[in-house]
Amino acid sequence: LLALSLRHQPQSQPTLFEKIANLSQAWSTKAATESPSTSTHPRLGLVVGATDPQALSKVRQAAGPNVWILAPGVGAQGGDLDAACFAGLNEHGSGMLIPVSRGISRAADPALEAKRLKEGINEARKNVLAAQSTRSEAGQDGGGIARYQKEFLEFSLSEGVLKFGSFVLKSGRTSPYFFNAGLFSSGGALHKLGKAYAAAIMASDQLVDENGKVIFDVVFGPAYKGISLGALVCAALYSEYGVDTGFAYNRKEAKDHGEGGILVGASMVEKRVLIVDDVITAGTAIRESFDLLTKIKATPVGVSIALDRAEKRSLEDPLSAVQAVARDLAIPVVSIVALPQLQEYLRQSPDYDESVLKLVSDYRSQYGV
């Protein structure tokens, strides 16, 4: 095993430990060639502290998936097990050795502590594999539609939330499809909806950092629809990916008794906040939420929605409502699906003839961004 040294270098240059990690594969291959045996290479492992997930992530990227990493620091030294696993495990959920000595030997019940750590490691591996699977699926199901997006469209159609036909919108346009999130009205549908939001969030490199950690501390659901959606998203992030965030929402009118005020749930003061809603039509609700959050010294870092219609606000305005919100508020807007995925779903589905695809394609050609 080769211990890696951390030292400060200009940010534009690879660090010393990244250079060594890059060389590890070549050194292992050379060792195997010059000293053949029955063992498989790579024979060289790397030591990176679990207390520095950012370094772990960089080493994993530099060394590749096959090099084993010994990552001490979980337990007495304060290393975060989940963060270390997200940063250092390879795509198969392996490639890391996590030694814990003092944390076990000095525990009141060493056997129980060892069992707890083993279960924690296995749970972290499961969460890493689930998150990596979701992110790798994005764009892998042919034509830019991920599996979770296809499943979302299928169950939206089965619930009557998404319909094809002729629908006059508030804008006056006649749309070949209509989406009504209010029809997600059963336990099973809501469960699937929460999972779809969570999958879209974990698949987004705008809402998840290079260590696989979400960039927000609290999920905020603006009244009214956003309240239930925010709760679903929080629950799904935890159940599917082991991501535990706070949840908060607002009232339309301030409460004058009890705890009072218009905000309920986790404190958002000086916290990073993700706003959750169903769709963005004009962007008014999102802008109001943004202003509300900044006034209490919270930091909005993104918006998560179910459907992005991806169409121009007017024929004179080249931006969609979603693009305008992202531009004006300088935060990303991540949707489960957008009009291009709907079009691709129709292209692949045997359940709809070409006339439906043509209507949607023509609509996108006329109004799409």
Side-chain angles (χ1 to χ4, degrees), residues 233-252:
V233 171
C234 266
L237 283 171
Y238 182 74
S239 65
E240 299 299 315
Y241 304 101
V243 175
D244 194 8
T245 69
F247 167 60
Y249 62 92
N250 67 310
R251 298 187 178 98
K252 288 286 188 179

Side-chain angles (χ1 to χ4, degrees), residues 343-363:
Q343 192 175 6
E344 182 58 33
Y345 174 79
L346 288 172
R347 191 175 289 118
Q348 295 182 19
S349 176
D351 299 326
Y352 297 93
D353 59 35
E354 292 186 3
S355 63
V356 179
L357 174 60
K358 185 178 186 306
L359 287 171
V360 173
S361 298
D362 290 347
Y363 187 83

Side-chain angles (χ1 to χ4, degrees), residues 64-327:
N66 296 323
V67 170
W68 280 81
I69 297 174
L70 179 68
V74 171
Q77 295 180 50
D80 185 300
L81 179 61
D82 289 333
C85 288
F86 265 105
L89 287 171
N90 61 24
E91 59 188 7
H92 304 295
S94 63
M96 280 183 72
L97 299 172
I98 305 173
V100 180
S101 52
R102 282 179 291 169
I104 294 174
S105 63
R106 298 181 182 179
D109 188 335
L112 184 62
E113 180 64 13
K115 183 175 183 291
R116 187 190 68 80
L117 283 165
K118 182 192 76 171
E119 292 173 349
I121 291 171
N122 286 332
E123 183 68 17
R125 291 181 68 239
K126 184 185 78 172
N127 293 334
V128 167
L129 286 171
Q132 289 179 343
S133 175
T134 297
R135 299 182 75 176
S136 66
E137 283 172 8
Q140 296 294 314
D141 208 1
I145 182 168
R147 184 175 295 119
Y148 72 85
Q149 294 172 321
K150 183 177 180 180
E151 291 174 350
F152 173 73
L153 288 171
E154 287 174 342
F155 92 82
S156 294
L157 287 163
S158 69
E159 294 290 327
V161 173
L162 176 63
K163 296 179 179 179
F164 296 110
S166 181
F167 306 92
V168 179
L169 306 179
K170 188 176 181 180
S171 63
R173 297 172 184 172
T174 300
S175 172
Y177 71 97
F178 189 71
F179 184 85
N180 180 7
L183 294 178
F184 288 122
S185 54
S186 69
L190 292 171
H191 174 69
K192 291 179 180 178
L193 179 61
K195 288 178 62 177
Y197 269 102
I201 290 167
M202 297 305 295
S204 171
D205 57 8
Q206 295 176 298
L207 298 179
V208 176
D209 66 21
E210 61 182 10
N211 298 320
K213 305 286 282 185
V214 296
I215 64 167
F216 52 91
D217 308 301
V218 180
V219 171
F220 174 71
Y224 289 106
K225 281 186 180 178
I227 297 176
S228 57
L229 292 175
L232 289 172
V233 171
C234 266
L237 283 171
Y238 182 74
S239 65
E240 299 299 315
Y241 304 101
V243 175
D244 194 8
T245 69
F247 167 60
Y249 62 92
N250 67 310
R251 298 187 178 98
K252 288 286 188 179
E253 298 179 357
K255 188 177 179 181
D256 59 4
H257 60 282
E259 74 277 14
I262 63 170
L263 294 175
V264 183
S267 170
M268 296 182 285
V269 178
E270 297 183 349
K271 297 289 182 64
R272 303 167 300 171
V273 179
L274 175 70
I275 304 169
V276 175
D277 214 336
D278 56 348
V279 295
I280 293 178
T281 304
T284 304
I286 299 299
R287 295 172 196 274
E288 289 176 350
S289 296
F290 186 92
D291 292 341
L292 172 66
L293 294 171
T294 54
K295 283 179 182 178
I296 63 167
K297 297 183 180 180
T299 303
V301 295
V303 179
S304 178
I305 59 176
L307 174 69
D308 176 6
R309 291 187 63 93
E311 59 185 74
K312 302 169 187 174
R313 292 183 290 182
S314 70
L315 295 179
E316 294 75 34
D317 189 344
L319 292 181
S320 70
V322 167
Q323 289 174 330
V325 165
R327 178 199 63 187

